Amino acid sequence: MATRTLVTEDELFHMPDDGKRYELVRGVLTVGEPPGAQHGSIAMRLGILLGHHALANRLGVVFAAETGFVLARDPDTVRAPDIAFVRKDRIPPGGPGPKYFDGAPDLAVEVLSPDDTVYEVEEKVEECLAAGVAAVWVINPKRRRVTVYESDVTHRVLHEGDALEGGDILPGFRCAVREIFDWPL
């Protein structure tokens, strides 16, 4: 049986850019194609809302999908949520560095793509929560709902008439779930 060579977060960081999205899961390289337009539009719309609130209230930093977070080491796990937020007290002096963020974000947001499997999504949610992410929001464009995970046993499903709130992570943040999905033009 052949042994698999594990990839480190440093090796992942120095890989050439070929337009694909790579992550590490316990040292194993995973690859995903760039997401579709609906996915990107929803992620950007929510990212703008979160970013504006975080900036206006000096709460921390909102990160785009290209940002890797080191969730575990030896073997390394590096995940890149579609949107992530880190509280200001966890940002290093001088701001985020040029490499992956060393540690989990406080909030991770995943926008489902048509080819995502239940297993893949559950695995990401479980890894994030185990690494210390306080909340994971899973955005489902097809069903127009948001599932909020705050532990591996607690979750809430929000529908279009509900409000998505930042709670202790992003105090004062509130938006209608409908606002995430409705085309603004």
Side-chain angles (χ1 to χ4, degrees), residues 22-168:
Y22 292 96
E23 293 181 315
L24 276 183
V25 179
R26 293 174 293 289
V28 177
L29 196 63
T30 64
V31 62
E33 295 298 325
Q38 180 187 47
H39 179 281
S41 173
I42 289 170
M44 181 58 76
R45 190 164 36 254
L46 182 55
I48 288 169
L49 294 170
L50 289 170
H52 177 73
H53 181 78
L55 187 61
N57 295 284
R58 303 177 61 85
L59 297 174
V61 178
V62 174
F63 294 88
E66 297 78 19
T67 308
F69 289 84
V70 181
L71 302 183
R73 294 199 180 275
D74 296 322
D76 296 349
T77 295
V78 177
R79 289 290 195 176
D82 293 315
I83 306 166
F85 170 76
V86 176
R87 292 185 333 263
K88 70 178 176 183
D89 62 318
R90 295 189 53 232
I91 300 294
K99 291 191 148 193
Y100 300 131
F101 191 89
D102 190 14
D106 295 292
L107 170 67
V109 180
E110 289 291 337
V111 179
L112 297 181
S113 295
D115 59 342
D116 284 337
T117 68
V118 171
Y119 172 78
E120 291 168 333
V121 174
E122 287 178 350
E123 182 179 44
K124 283 183 181 182
V125 169
E126 289 170 6
E127 283 175 358
C128 285
L129 294 171
V133 176
V136 180
W137 298 348
V138 177
I139 313 296
N140 187 328
K142 184 176 181 179
R143 296 200 171 168
R144 296 175 64 94
R145 67 183 188 194
V146 178
T147 304
V148 176
Y149 296 88
E150 294 173 326
S151 75
D152 59 351
V153 295
T154 304
H155 71 276
R156 292 172 288 141
V157 178
L158 304 176
H159 301 275
E160 287 187 76
D162 297 324
L164 178 60
E165 297 182 3
D168 293 337

